[in-house]
Amino acid sequence: MRYRGSVTIAAVVAGLVLIAGFAVDTRSTIAAYLVAWIAWGSIPIGALILFMTSYLVRRRWTVALHPVFVPATGVLPIVALAFIPVLLFMKDIYPAIADSAFLPPFKAHWFTPWFFLLRTVFYFAVWIALAEWLRRSWRDDEVMVRSASAGAIVGVLLISLAGIDWMESLEPEFHSSIYGLIYLSFTLINGTAFVIAAGLLSTRPIGPSRGYSGLLLAVLLLWCYLHAMQYIVIWSGNIPKEVTWYLARSEHGWQFALTALSLGQFVFPFCAMLSNKVRSDPHWLLTLCTITLAMRGLESAILILPAIHGLLPAVTTVMLIAAAVFLGLVLWLAFDAVLASAPEENWPIAAIWPRTRGETEVRSTRQGQ
C-alpha cells in the first residue's frame, strides 16, 4: 500500500538522523533513544497484562478486543530487537554498569554487563512465550485460565524487575520499593490506551464506550495512586538520597513538565470522565487515549533524562524527536503486518483506519449506544 511506503521512508530518514546523532554525541542520543523506547516499547508489554486480564474476567471486551491484543503483543520480538542499541551503549548511561566499584557487593554483581544483558533477554523471552501461549489458548476455557493465571504471576513480576533494571538503575544510589510497580502501572496505562484506541478506530464496533472509559479511568487511578504513595513515603521519610530524586525533577524546567503531566494525565482526564456524556462518547474516549499515549512520552522523559548527566540539550531534543518517530513508525508497521496476517474468521477488524467519514460517523453512533 502507498501509505506503507511513505511510513517506511519516514522511518528510514529518522533512523539515519539517529545514526548521525550517535556520531555527534553518543550519550545524548542513547538517552533520547531510551526515552522513546520506554514510551513506545511499554505498549505491547502493557497490552500483555490486559490480555491476561481479559482471559480471567471474561467480559464482552474479552472477545471484542482480542483481535487487537494479538497484534499488539505480537510485536514484542520487534520491541526486543529495538532495545539492542541500549544494550550496546549501556555503559554511557548506566553508571552502575560503567563502574561498579562504588556500589555495595550485591549491587556490583547485579549490575555486571553480562548479567544485565542476560536478564533483559530473559524478560523478553518469557513475555514473548506468554503472548504466544495466550494466543494459542483462545477459545479453550481451561487453557485460557491457566495461561492467564501463570502469566499474571510471572509476567507482572518480571515487568517490575525490568523497570528497576532499565530506569531506576540510572540512579544507583536511589531506591524506592514501589518503583517496579510504578513502571508496571506505566506499561498498563500505555497498553490500555493503545488497545482501546485501536479498537475505536477499527471498522467494527467494540461495544459501548462507557465500559472502556471505566477501564481507562481505573488504570489511571492506579497510576496516580502509586506515584502519590512513592512521594508520600519519601516525603515522610525525609531521606536525602531519596529526596534528591524529586529535587532533580523540580528544577531546570522539569517542574513545568511535572505540572503538565499532572494536568494532562490526571486532572483533565479525571474531571472529563466524571461527565456521563464524555464517558459515553467514543470521540471523547479516543481523545483521552491519545492524550494518555502522549503523556507517556513526557513521563518517560521526566523519569529518565534528569538522571543522566552531561547531556547536550539541543542534540537530546533533536534525537528525541527522531527516536520517537523511528520507533513509533517501526512498531506501527510491525503491528500492521501482524494485523494483516491474522486469520479472517478470528479478526473482526478489517483495517485500523476508517476509509470514509460516513463510516466513521456510523460506527461512532453504534459505539456510543
Side-chain angles (χ1 to χ4, degrees):
M1 296 176 64
R2 182 178 299 179
Y3 91 93
R4 290 182 181 176
S6 301
V7 170
T8 302
I9 293 174
V12 171
V13 172
L16 293 175
V17 173
L18 281 174
I19 294 175
F22 281 109
V24 173
D25 183 16
T26 302
R27 180 186 291 267
S28 298
T29 302
I30 195 60
Y33 186 89
L34 179 61
V35 170
W37 188 91
I38 291 294
W40 287 114
S42 63
I43 290 176
I45 299 174
L48 181 65
I49 305 174
L50 201 61
F51 196 1
M52 294 182 290
T53 305
S54 72
Y55 277 11
L56 294 175
V57 299
R58 301 293 179 88
R59 292 294 185 267
R60 179 175 180 177
W61 59 278
T62 302
V63 177
L65 293 182
H66 182 267
V68 181
F69 286 133
V70 172
T73 56
V75 301
L76 278 169
I78 306 300
V79 172
L81 292 176
F83 197 73
I84 291 178
V86 178
L87 296 175
L88 292 176
F89 298 99
M90 56 186 172
K91 290 185 178 180
D92 290 292
I93 54 176
Y94 293 104
I97 296 177
D99 181 15
S100 59
F102 65 96
L103 296 175
F106 176 80
K107 281 190 174 181
H109 288 89
W110 183 263
F111 289 114
T112 52
W114 68 267
F115 194 30
F116 184 88
L117 171 62
L118 184 63
R119 290 198 305 275
T120 299
V121 172
F122 178 71
Y123 297 152
F124 281 111
V126 172
W127 294 335
I128 293 170
L130 286 175
E132 181 64 16
W133 191 11
L134 291 169
R135 186 186 67 81
R136 293 178 178 271
S137 301
W138 182 238
R139 300 192 185 283
D140 188 330
D141 292 345
E142 184 177 348
V143 181
M144 286 171 66
V145 173
R146 189 184 305 125
S147 61
S149 300
I153 297 172
V154 178
V156 168
L157 176 62
L158 294 184
I159 292 172
S160 300
L161 291 175
I164 296 172
D165 278 350
W166 297 339
M167 298 173 68
E168 188 182 23
S169 61
L170 292 168
E171 299 167 283
E173 295 184 355
F174 170 74
H175 172 69
S176 171
S177 58
I178 205 173
Y179 198 96
L181 293 178
I182 288 178
Y183 179 68
L184 177 65
S185 68
F186 181 102
T187 62
L188 180 58
I189 195 172
N190 214 12
T192 301
F194 177 82
V195 168
I196 294 176
L200 291 171
L201 289 170
S202 66
T203 56
R204 297 187 183 182
I206 58 174
S209 298
R210 178 189 293 271
Y212 296 104
S213 297
L215 177 62
L216 182 63
L217 179 60
V219 296
L220 186 151
L221 291 175
L222 173 64
W223 170 85
C224 183
Y225 169 80
L226 292 174
H227 271 285
M229 286 301 100
Q230 176 179 267
Y231 179 81
I232 292 172
V233 170
I234 291 177
W235 177 81
S236 60
N238 198 27
I239 302 174
K241 289 184 179 180
E242 297 180 357
V243 172
T244 53
W245 190 88
Y246 280 100
L247 293 178
R249 290 158 178 82
S250 302
E251 55 187 6
H252 304 303
W254 289 112
Q255 64 271 30
F256 302 111
L258 280 173
T259 301
L261 179 64
S262 301
L263 295 175
Q265 187 57 90
F266 177 69
V267 176
F268 174 72
F270 178 78
C271 294
M273 282 190 280
L274 292 178
S275 168
N276 180 57
K277 181 180 179 180
V278 171
R279 293 197 306 272
S280 303
D281 189 338
H283 295 95
W284 263 109
L285 179 56
L286 182 60
T287 300
L288 294 175
C289 289
T290 303
I291 293 174
T292 298
L293 293 172
M295 289 296 104
R296 298 284 66 70
L298 180 61
E299 183 182 4
S300 62
I302 293 171
L303 293 174
I304 293 171
L305 293 182
I308 305 174
H309 303 291
L311 301 180
L312 300 179
V315 176
T316 303
T317 302
V318 174
M319 292 304 108
L320 185 58
I321 296 173
V325 172
F326 173 75
L327 290 173
L329 295 181
V330 167
L331 292 180
W332 175 258
L333 288 172
F335 175 80
D336 193 51
V338 179
L339 186 74
S341 64
E344 187 176 353
E345 64 272 15
N346 292 332
W347 197 255
I349 301 180
I352 288 296
W353 303 111
R355 298 181 180 180
T356 64
R357 181 177 180 83
E359 181 180 296
T360 305
E361 295 299 329
V362 171
R363 189 183 65 257
S364 299
T365 301
R366 292 176 179 174
Q367 300 208 62
Q369 293 176 353

